[in-house]
Amino acid sequence: LSSGINAEWPLRPGSFKNNQFRDFHSRMQTFILWYIDAASYLDSDDLSWKVYTLFEKVKEGNSVRYSSIGFLSCYSYYHYPNKVRPRISQVLILPPYQKQGHGAHLLS
């Protein structure tokens, strides 16, 4: 992940328990219908979903600018006999940020 600007790429976990995150994700997930074939929205009432959002953080003088790069959604499934396992459901990197290693960063 490199560019010619002073940038960082923070990864933030999110949960639908948080109303601010729920609002943010409802706006962000509209992109999946444009870029993922046969995609569907996540059920934000199901608290088993975890969403990891990747941002670009650019420092310009005294100001900081954040841009959404993409997200990864995981669902916690019950695994017999007594475990829960995460399963990746959706990964979206917006087109201006593709082919720069951001998808691998989300998966690691």
Side-chain angles (χ1 to χ4, degrees):
L1 301 174
S2 66
S3 66
I5 57 176
N6 186 17
E8 298 174 20
W9 295 272
L11 180 63
R12 300 283 185 249
S15 168
F16 290 125
K17 293 176 188 175
N18 181 315
N19 286 331
Q20 287 179 322
F21 175 77
R22 188 185 292 242
D23 292 341
F24 169 78
H25 188 264
S26 71
R27 292 187 306 272
M28 187 71 175
Q29 78 174 345
T30 59
F31 290 109
I32 66 169
L33 298 179
W34 299 343
Y35 298 114
I36 300 177
D37 189 34
S40 60
Y41 287 155
L42 301 182
D43 178 7
S44 61
D45 292 328
D46 188 343
L47 300 181
S48 295
W49 286 105
K50 292 198 180 184
V51 180
Y52 299 89
T53 307
L54 186 61
F55 296 95
E56 178 182 51
K57 177 182 176 183
V58 177
K59 296 178 184 176
E60 299 171 340
N62 292 334
S63 64
V64 177
R65 176 182 51 86
Y66 287 89
S67 300
S68 298
I69 291 177
F71 68 89
L72 176 144
S73 60
C74 289
Y75 191 81
S76 297
Y77 283 94
Y78 172 74
H79 182 260
Y80 182 80
N82 60 355
K83 296 182 182 180
V84 174
R85 285 187 160 170
R87 186 174 294 170
I88 295 172
S89 174
Q90 301 166 333
V91 177
L92 174 68
I93 301 296
L94 295 173
Y97 300 99
Q98 292 176 0
K99 300 185 190 271
Q100 298 175 27
H102 297 297
H105 180 64
L106 265 175
L107 292 171
S108 63

